[in-house]
Amino acid sequence: MLVETKARVGVFAIALGAYLPQFPSLVPEFESQYARFKARIPTTVELIDGGIVTTKEQSQAAGDKFRAADVDLVILQLLTYATSYNLLPTVRDLNVPVLLVNVQKKRAPDYEHTDTATWLGELYACGAVGEMAADLDRAGKTHAVLTGVEEGGDPHLQEELEDWCRAAQVRRRFRDTNLAQVGRPYPGMMDLYIDETNLYHRMWLYTKQFDWEKLWAIADDVTDQALIGEKAQEILDTFDIEGGGTVEKVWEMARYLAAFEDWVKRERIGFIASHYDGFAQGKAGVLDSMLIPAFSMLIKQGVACAVEGDIKVAMAMSILKTIAGTGQLSEMYSIDFDKDLCIIGHSGSGDADISCKKPTMKIVPVFHGKTGGGYLTQFYPHLGPVTYLAITQDRDGHFKFVAAEGVNEEGPIFTFGDTNMRTRFSCGARDFVDRWSQAGPTHHMAAASGRHIDTILKVAQFFQVPVEVITR
């Protein structure tokens, strides 16, 4: 990604201190189990180690460490039974989800040859989890339970741990990067309008405002010919250009791409929502004509770029790009009633990573419904499972996720230059459009290859927002 962020995950383990002097073999056993558990945490996150906690004081020290690190997620390994004071002081002053991981070492007991120490150290599962969950509920802390086994491996356990870490990465990205609002939303699209202060309070995302007049000159100081040539080749490697592509043909676009990449890094931008409604003349016209492919190149590198000034869909694109690797802006286009399919897509910038073949770029005389004309890009999303995510708000400014899973099918698509896909939903096209629209999702949503609602549900716990699932 152009702007790197890395989630911080606080990890600790708990056990009842009274057991340790009674059964000295438990100390090395628990140390070994905790070391193996930490090794399960993916290296894509920064691990903050709170150690093995057996006293209230150790629990407070772990909490101080996690708070100082501003962790995004706390993962607790329950080694054996432990009382709640091993947990609550750690999370008392934190406002992040707590994952209670209940991993048993052995798959099954050897009933005749199991003594108390072996039971407590290698076979004790489930007993303390309810106690921890009950007290987290009373403390108002978001939490989830994950039960698994160490012996023989546990792919489900590993997958869930990695999924939670991906969800935590969304929180870190929203906290550590900024949203660039360039211009304003498309006039009259009131579903897109947003209160940026409320956005910061509720979703931790800070908005930086930029005027188009500054961006028209963004590439004026880019003179490094080698860098421009490198960016030109990246554009040619990404797109098939109608009429043939050459370095010379995309040279000016490459200058702007180099300038935008530098701007993104300097301003720590992870999201861009832009709309231009000027006269598209002179330098303004030059930039406007090539903005769609330039922003598409930024999306490829992890910056969510939304057209029509839609901040909320930029957020949805970023969530899907972070958890799924793809994030394509979309909206309802048409219904094929004969095939019972929804045609879903959008014009403008897109994500090359969602495309099953090389995207295309062509010049059009007019951007429909918008000022000017220039380069239009079309992407060809993968066939198979697809996830849609929209972000909307209620009358009090609270956010809500609206999500659906479907299947992209092969068949004819529109060829006038807009990305579009044929999606089948389990409830049927007519019912899907009714249910999706009734949820009030705004008219934009993000799309990603694969099925990701389970991860979206985890992301929602970090932001404490509801999720309306339309179909799976």
Side-chain angles (χ1 to χ4, degrees):
M1 288 191 172
L2 269 175
V3 180
E4 289 293 339
T5 58
K6 200 168 187 178
R8 301 167 195 164
V9 177
V11 180
F12 73 118
I14 60 174
L16 188 66
Y19 292 155
L20 304 186
Q22 293 176 328
F23 307 101
S25 63
L26 290 180
V27 174
E29 176 63 40
F30 289 158
E31 289 175 345
S32 176
Q33 287 188 36
Y34 182 52
R36 290 193 299 273
F37 178 71
K38 287 187 293 182
R40 285 180 172 270
I41 306 302
T43 56
T44 53
V45 302
E46 180 184 349
L47 189 153
I48 312 299
D49 190 353
I52 297 176
V53 168
T54 60
T55 69
K56 168 181 167 289
E57 289 71 27
Q58 290 173 334
S59 184
Q60 286 178 318
D64 290 343
K65 191 173 186 180
F66 294 165
R67 193 169 62 253
D70 184 28
V71 297
D72 302 291
L73 171 68
V74 171
I75 300 179
L76 166 63
Q77 181 190 20
L78 293 101
L79 292 165
T80 186
Y81 175 75
T83 51
S84 307
Y85 72 63
N86 293 284
L87 164 65
L88 289 178
T90 301
V91 301
R92 170 64 181 79
D93 298 320
L94 297 173
N95 187 28
V96 298
V98 180
L99 180 60
L100 305 172
V101 183
N102 180 41
V103 182
Q104 184 168 289
K105 182 179 179 181
K106 298 288 187 180
R107 290 192 63 83
D110 179 353
Y111 296 96
E112 294 183 5
H113 301 96
T114 297
D115 58 16
T116 303
T118 303
W119 164 59
L120 290 174
E122 302 180 9
L123 291 163
Y124 191 94
C126 307
V129 186
E131 176 175 340
M132 303 303 151
D135 284 317
L136 288 171
D137 276 337
R138 293 172 67 187
K141 304 296 182 183
T142 301
H143 58 85
V145 175
L146 177 58
T147 296
V149 63
E150 183 178 328
E151 185 180 23
D154 191 334
H156 173 73
L157 172 66
Q158 191 62 39
E159 182 180 332
E160 282 292 294
L161 285 172
E162 292 174 2
D163 212 27
W164 274 102
C165 288
R166 277 192 292 272
Q169 182 67 2
V170 174
R171 180 184 189 270
R172 178 52 49 186
R173 190 144 185 84
F174 275 56
R175 287 173 72 86
D176 277 6
T177 62
N178 302 304
L179 184 143
Q181 186 174 51
V182 189
R184 56 177 179 174
Y186 191 105
M189 290 182 180
M190 298 178 70
D191 59 325
L192 309 187
Y193 296 178
I194 196 168
D195 175 346
E196 291 85 4
T197 304
N198 180 59
L199 172 66
Y200 181 70
H201 285 319
R202 297 191 187 277
M203 303 292 283
W204 311 310
L205 184 55
Y206 180 71
T207 306
K208 289 190 171 186
Q209 307 283 353
F210 294 91
D211 293 325
W212 279 113
E213 189 175 15
K214 287 186 176 180
L215 293 192
W216 294 335
I218 196 170
D220 286 358
D221 296 329
V222 178
T223 58
D224 185 334
Q225 303 299 298
L227 175 62
I228 298 170
E230 177 186 323
K231 296 303 167 185
Q233 190 59 52
E234 288 179 14
I235 294 169
L236 296 176
D237 291 342
T238 301
F239 292 100
D240 275 333
I241 301 176
E242 189 178 73
T246 64
V247 167
E248 292 74 22
K249 196 170 187 176
V250 298
W251 189 263
E252 192 68 7
M253 188 185 300
R255 287 181 64 243
Y256 277 97
L257 176 58
F260 276 124
E261 289 182 358
D262 178 67
W263 172 63
V264 162
K265 290 178 181 177
R266 268 188 293 108
E267 301 287 352
R268 291 194 60 78
I269 293 169
F271 315 72
I272 299 173
S274 67
H275 178 65
Y276 176 65
D277 193 26
F279 295 107
Q281 297 173 350
K283 294 178 69 173
V286 172
L287 175 56
D288 185 50
S289 70
M290 61 184 63
L291 203 59
I292 287 172
F295 277 179
S296 295
M297 295 298 293
L298 296 185
I299 294 172
K300 186 179 177 182
Q301 299 178 73
V303 180
C305 300
V307 299
E308 298 172 356
D310 190 350
I311 288 176
K312 284 173 281 192
V313 82
M315 293 157 59
M317 291 168 67
S318 181
I319 289 172
L320 290 184
K321 186 70 171 175
T322 302
I323 67 174
T326 53
Q328 172 71 38
L329 191 148
S330 305
E331 69 179 34
M332 299 299 303
Y333 256 37
S334 297
I335 300 174
D336 187 330
F337 283 96
D338 289 339
K339 300 297 184 181
D340 197 25
L341 295 167
C342 292
I343 311 303
I344 299 177
H346 209 281
S347 62
S349 307
D351 186 359
D353 289 332
I354 205 173
S355 201
C356 63
K357 67 177 184 177
K358 198 171 183 181
T360 53
M361 186 196 307
K362 67 178 180 180
I363 294 179
V364 294
V366 60
F367 295 139
H368 67 270
K370 301 177 177 70
T371 297
Y375 286 97
L376 203 60
T377 57
Q378 182 162 2
F379 302 81
Y380 306 92
H382 294 100
L383 302 180
V386 60
T387 298
Y388 293 102
L389 173 64
I391 299 178
T392 188
Q393 291 177 278
D394 65 15
R395 62 186 298 172
D396 297 317
H398 297 281
F399 288 90
K400 179 178 78 170
F401 293 171
V402 183
E405 292 173 348
V407 177
N408 282 342
E409 295 190 358
E410 193 170 7
I413 57 173
F414 297 126
T415 58
F416 46 76
D418 289 2
T419 300
N420 59 108
M421 49 199 134
R422 301 160 56 85
T423 306
R424 184 177 302 280
F425 296 98
S426 59
C427 61
R430 186 197 304 264
D431 195 29
F432 173 77
V433 172
D434 288 348
R435 290 163 60 182
W436 179 270
S437 303
Q438 184 62 34
T442 79
H443 73 284
H444 289 152
M445 67 267 217
S449 299
R451 299 188 182 278
H452 304 288
I453 283 181
D454 286 340
T455 314
I456 290 170
L457 292 170
K458 295 181 178 70
V459 171
Q461 292 193 54
F462 285 87
F463 295 100
Q464 299 180 14
V465 299
V467 183
E468 186 166 350
V469 176
I470 305 302
T471 185
R472 300 189 73 164

